[in-house]
Amino acid sequence: MYNAYITRIKNIRKHSNADRLMVGQCFGSDIIVGKDIKENELGVYFPTDGQLGIEYAEVNNLLRKKDEQGNNIGGYLDPDKRNIRTIKLRGEYSDGLFMPLESLNDFTDITKLKEGDEISVLKGIVICNKYIPKTNSSNTNSSNIDSIKNNKYPYFYEHSDTKHLSYFTNSLREGELCYVTLKLHGTSARTS
């Protein structure tokens, strides 16, 4: 399950190749933000591989739009996909999206949100969810895909999502047994 996190942005520094941009960190990931974002500011962090809800994206003017003359009057997200991904902007990577807490004003009482909260739906409105790319159905055999999806392996444990350690470092206690694995971005495999 995909969630956004109420967290603080840390280690803000000047972008190496842009005067109006800064680079901060959430959960150890670099995030490009505007100069209006301040060190240790509480906000909402959307990790990569997510999709913003249409209403949230529209209210916060995050969708790409053009006026009658073709001038950009909106944000930078594709209006259909609205996906959060790692991007390289003027030579620096941004791994996710950090938004001010006020971006949730239309969806909840933000005074009740606290650091560590996870959100995906507020007052019945989808704020974010897992991004699932559309497949080109002409290149797939749908009956074969359906049979794979419905085939169950009772002795082969399945999991749909593995939580990132960086989001839960505060929940580890000294002396507890902990298993740490590494998943490279864009890779996935299971064998039996």
Side-chain angles (χ1 to χ4, degrees), residues 55-80:
E55 290 177 62
Y56 177 82
E58 285 176 344
V59 164
N60 289 288
N61 197 29
L62 296 172
L63 303 178
R64 223 176 8 240
K65 303 184 241 190
K66 297 199 182 287
D67 63 13
E68 298 82 33
Q69 290 79 33
N71 299 317
N72 190 14
I73 58 169
Y76 63 95
L77 292 177
D78 180 285
D80 295 322

Side-chain angles (χ1 to χ4, degrees), residues 9-10 12 33-42 98:
I9 190 161
K10 311 250 185 201
I12 292 182
V33 294
K35 281 191 154 186
D36 57 325
I37 301 295
K38 303 298 180 215
E39 177 76 22
N40 213 33
E41 181 175 334
L42 189 63
F98 182 84

Side-chain angles (χ1 to χ4, degrees), residues 51-111:
Q51 179 182 49
L52 297 183
I54 187 73
E55 290 177 62
Y56 177 82
E58 285 176 344
V59 164
N60 289 288
N61 197 29
L62 296 172
L63 303 178
R64 223 176 8 240
K65 303 184 241 190
K66 297 199 182 287
D67 63 13
E68 298 82 33
Q69 290 79 33
N71 299 317
N72 190 14
I73 58 169
Y76 63 95
L77 292 177
D78 180 285
D80 295 322
K81 293 180 182 178
R82 303 180 313 281
N83 60 320
I84 304 301
R85 58 190 179 90
T86 299
I87 61 171
K88 188 174 186 180
L89 186 60
R90 301 196 69 163
E92 299 241 17
Y93 285 97
S94 185
D95 192 20
L97 173 67
F98 182 84
M99 295 288 290
L101 201 58
E102 292 76 21
S103 69
L104 296 170
N105 267 337
D106 289 359
F107 308 99
T108 192
D109 178 1
I110 63 171
T111 63

Side-chain angles (χ1 to χ4, degrees), residues 9-176:
I9 190 161
K10 311 250 185 201
N11 304 322
I12 292 182
R13 63 175 170 80
K14 186 179 178 321
H15 189 289
S16 62
N17 194 25
D19 293 334
R20 296 186 308 184
L21 297 176
M22 305 294 280
V23 181
Q25 288 186 329
C26 291
F27 301 108
S29 296
D30 285 345
I31 313 295
I32 295 176
V33 294
K35 281 191 154 186
D36 57 325
I37 301 295
K38 303 298 180 215
E39 177 76 22
N40 213 33
E41 181 175 334
L42 189 63
V44 57
Y45 170 64
F46 297 93
T48 58
D49 297 332
Q51 179 182 49
L52 297 183
I54 187 73
E55 290 177 62
Y56 177 82
E58 285 176 344
V59 164
N60 289 288
N61 197 29
L62 296 172
L63 303 178
R64 223 176 8 240
K65 303 184 241 190
K66 297 199 182 287
D67 63 13
E68 298 82 33
Q69 290 79 33
N71 299 317
N72 190 14
I73 58 169
Y76 63 95
L77 292 177
D78 180 285
D80 295 322
K81 293 180 182 178
R82 303 180 313 281
N83 60 320
I84 304 301
R85 58 190 179 90
T86 299
I87 61 171
K88 188 174 186 180
L89 186 60
R90 301 196 69 163
E92 299 241 17
Y93 285 97
S94 185
D95 192 20
L97 173 67
F98 182 84
M99 295 288 290
L101 201 58
E102 292 76 21
S103 69
L104 296 170
N105 267 337
D106 289 359
F107 308 99
T108 192
D109 178 1
I110 63 171
T111 63
K112 294 184 178 177
L113 294 173
K114 62 187 180 314
E115 189 171 3
D117 286 349
E118 298 178 30
I119 61 169
S120 59
V121 176
L122 295 172
K123 292 186 179 176
I125 298 170
V126 173
I127 303 301
C128 61
N129 57 309
K130 178 79 174 162
Y131 175 68
I132 300 171
K134 294 180 182 174
T135 60
N136 184 349
S137 59
S138 64
N139 292 336
T140 59
N141 180 340
S142 61
S143 64
N144 188 27
I145 290 173
D146 289 341
S147 69
I148 291 169
K149 283 181 183 176
N150 294 326
N151 198 354
K152 299 292 177 196
Y153 300 94
Y155 301 111
F156 186 47
Y157 176 72
E158 292 187 40
H159 70 277
S160 60
D161 200 10
T162 302
K163 300 209 182 254
H164 293 225
L165 174 63
S166 58
Y167 303 143
F168 299 96
T169 55
N170 293 336
S171 61
L172 296 175
R173 304 287 179 251
E174 188 174 333
E176 285 183 322

